[in-house]
Amino acid sequence: MSVTVLPPARVGRFSIAALGVLALALGTLQSVVEPALPQLQSELGVSPAEGALIGNTLLITGAVVAPVAGKLGDRYGGKRVLVLLMAVVSAGGSLAALAPNLPVLLVGQVLQGVMVGALPLSFILVRKHLSSAASRLAIGLVMALFTGGGMVGTLSAGPISDGLSWHWMFALPTVAIVVTTAAVARLLPHDPPVRADTGIDWPGVVLLSGTLLVFMLGLVKVTGSGLPPLAVGALALVVVALATGWVVVERRAASPMVDLRMLARPALWHSCVLTFVVTAAFGMVAFLLPQLFALEADGYGFGLGTTEIGLLLLPGAVAGAVSDSVGGVAARRLGLRAVLVVGAVVTTATTLALASLHTAQWQLALAKALTAIAAGVASTALLTRAATAVETEDTGIATGLLVVTRVIGVAIGGQVGGAILDAGADRTGLPAESAFATGFVVAGLVAALALLVVRVTKKGTQA
């Protein structure tokens, strides 16, 4: 690969500000769905499992775009690719804003998912055009504004949907993205592409996204439609075939989307398994809590609107953002094994307690904060561990593998939570209280698996 090295260029504060505001708008667009999900299910007339797809399709796209975003930026120029990705996100946001039904909204969410590629591209551009010290400040600013956007989305979804309609939850951030993308295109200097010796693993991208989508759609159909055994078997075979094809492609690709050969290293496959378990348990909790907040039923549920749900979820969002930033420090000071054990114990105890203690709003809000802290610290510690367990030139591959695993874990956890509620629906179609209890117990058991994995991989998780 021939690399063109640019000297650090002076870029104006307005350029960095435009990148930061873009990150703020993207974080807002990404996060509006969580507190509004019960409202979307009600207005679109869909089940909890179908509703879970609304947020999960965005995560799936993000999981497959994240590993290739940097390669696309190198090959075609970071600024050019960033602007093109934002055009796709804007199209997705517009489609979601105009969506008359679930299928159209899902397509919009799929397109919005490419926003995940914006952050690494922004970091690459900042690093190319600023000195090392200045780039660290700029990257911190962009990341902080993206996290802040998540909180803005959580808080603003309710007032916007109540005062206007849920369509405007997608429309307003999309308008901000269009405006700030235009500013970035005008203000930020161009960066030349790099001639690459290997191509981009498009077959891997297609097969991984296909595997995840078929799996999640299969969960919806199996739990909601009562498919016959032959149809269930056929779906399972399709998922296995797609997953097998993806593994074969990744092992043979010259430049794979996810280098599965890295999994031969114990430190990495241990980290991947633990990351998946931790984030899957959190994904279930993150899906179940808004559903219980919104449900209005005799003896359980609270009948809350989107605004109230957003306020109650905000402490968890703040806790998650803080814990993401301290995971690596905690692992260095306390040891990775201790961090993982404490995180698994906290999540297990919290979710099992929720199975019987879910009669007060503060109980659910506290549970969200505790599980967010546990998941954030543990997954960030594992990400840091993976980055330091490989050679410097393999850092991007190793961390990309963990990021993909983290996103997939959250998505599958949420989808399983939706499937449990569908399977436990009463005659009116509403989830029974026992369905929520079952979901919390299952989340606790999944979190407890982390303790077993830590025990089995004792040497690999020592400090």
Side-chain angles (χ1 to χ4, degrees):
M1 178 184 294
S2 61
V3 180
T4 301
V5 180
L6 291 175
R10 292 284 182 179
V11 296
R13 294 180 180 179
F14 289 114
S15 301
I16 304 303
L19 280 175
V21 176
L22 177 60
L24 179 71
L26 290 171
T28 302
L29 182 61
Q30 182 187 43
S31 61
V32 292
V33 166
E34 184 181 6
L37 191 54
Q39 179 186 2
L40 291 172
Q41 292 168 200
S42 175
E43 297 202 16
L44 294 172
V46 299
S47 69
E50 291 171 324
L53 287 172
I54 298 173
N56 287 339
T57 47
L58 186 149
L59 294 177
I60 292 170
T61 307
V64 298
V65 168
V68 301
K71 295 179 183 179
L72 288 169
D74 286 339
R75 178 178 288 269
Y76 301 110
K79 176 182 172 181
R80 179 185 179 188
V81 173
L82 178 62
V83 171
L84 289 174
L85 288 184
M86 291 306 96
V88 175
V89 173
S90 300
S94 301
L95 196 60
L98 299 171
N101 52 42
L102 179 63
V104 176
L105 180 56
L106 291 180
V107 174
Q109 288 292 94
V110 168
L111 296 178
Q112 289 176 51
V114 305
M115 72 171 66
V116 175
L119 286 179
L121 286 171
S122 297
F123 299 158
I124 291 171
L125 287 170
V126 165
R127 189 64 187 92
K128 283 183 177 181
H129 295 299
L130 290 175
S131 64
S132 179
S135 66
R136 284 196 293 271
L137 292 174
I139 288 172
L141 174 65
V142 171
M143 195 63 210
L145 286 172
F146 181 78
T147 302
M151 299 175 192
V152 171
T154 300
L155 284 175
S156 64
I160 292 173
S161 61
D162 292 339
L164 299 171
S165 75
W166 65 263
H167 298 277
W168 286 96
M169 297 187 316
F170 301 103
L172 293 179
T174 300
V175 171
I177 289 170
V178 171
V179 173
T180 50
T181 300
V184 168
R186 181 176 178 82
L187 297 172
L188 202 68
H190 287 282
D191 59 311
V194 176
R195 182 175 298 174
D197 297 328
T198 56
I200 295 172
D201 180 25
W202 293 118
V205 170
V206 172
L207 285 169
L208 178 59
S209 57
T211 301
L212 295 172
L213 282 173
V214 172
F215 174 76
M216 293 182 181
L217 287 171
L219 277 179
V220 173
K221 293 297 183 183
V222 168
T223 56
S225 304
L227 292 179
L230 286 178
V232 175
L235 278 173
L237 287 176
V238 171
V239 172
V240 170
L242 288 171
T244 303
W246 179 67
V247 171
V248 171
V249 166
E250 295 305 278
R251 290 178 63 88
R252 294 181 179 179
S255 181
M257 183 189 92
V258 177
D259 192 347
L260 297 178
R261 289 164 290 195
M262 296 284 286
L263 289 176
R265 304 184 184 190
L268 284 183
W269 73 260
H270 293 171
S271 295
C272 282
V273 172
L274 284 164
T275 296
F276 178 81
V277 170
V278 168
T279 55
F282 173 72
M284 292 182 66
V285 175
F287 175 80
L288 291 170
L289 292 182
Q291 302 291 322
L292 188 52
F293 276 134
L295 188 66
E296 190 167 2
D298 293 334
Y300 66 103
F302 301 93
L304 300 181
T306 302
T307 299
E308 293 85 357
I309 293 174
L311 288 171
L312 289 167
L313 293 179
L314 182 61
V318 175
V322 173
S323 63
D324 276 344
S325 65
V326 301
V329 176
R332 285 197 303 272
R333 294 188 177 182
L334 305 176
L336 177 63
R337 181 180 173 82
V339 169
L340 295 174
V341 169
V342 171
V345 169
V346 168
T347 303
T348 302
T350 301
T351 50
L352 292 180
L354 275 176
S356 56
L357 300 175
H358 50 258
T359 56
Q361 296 175 15
W362 69 265
Q363 294 170 343
L364 275 64
L366 177 61
K368 175 63 186 295
L370 290 175
T371 53
I373 291 171
V377 171
S379 58
T380 304
L382 288 164
L383 186 67
T384 305
R385 185 268 193 108
T388 56
V390 298
E391 292 77 12
T392 303
E393 60 270 19
D394 292 329
T395 301
I397 299 173
T399 54
L401 189 61
L402 266 292
V403 169
V404 171
T405 304
R406 182 175 180 170
V407 172
I408 292 174
V410 172
I412 290 181
Q415 202 62 54
V416 170
I420 290 173
L421 294 190
D422 273 6
D426 57 24
R427 294 180 180 179
T428 65
L430 296 176
E433 185 176 10
S434 60
F436 285 100
T438 300
F440 291 132
V441 169
V442 171
L445 294 176
V446 171
L449 281 177
L451 296 172
L452 177 61
V453 176
V454 169
R455 176 67 179 175
V456 172
T457 61
K458 182 176 181 179
K459 292 182 180 180
T461 53
Q462 291 290 357

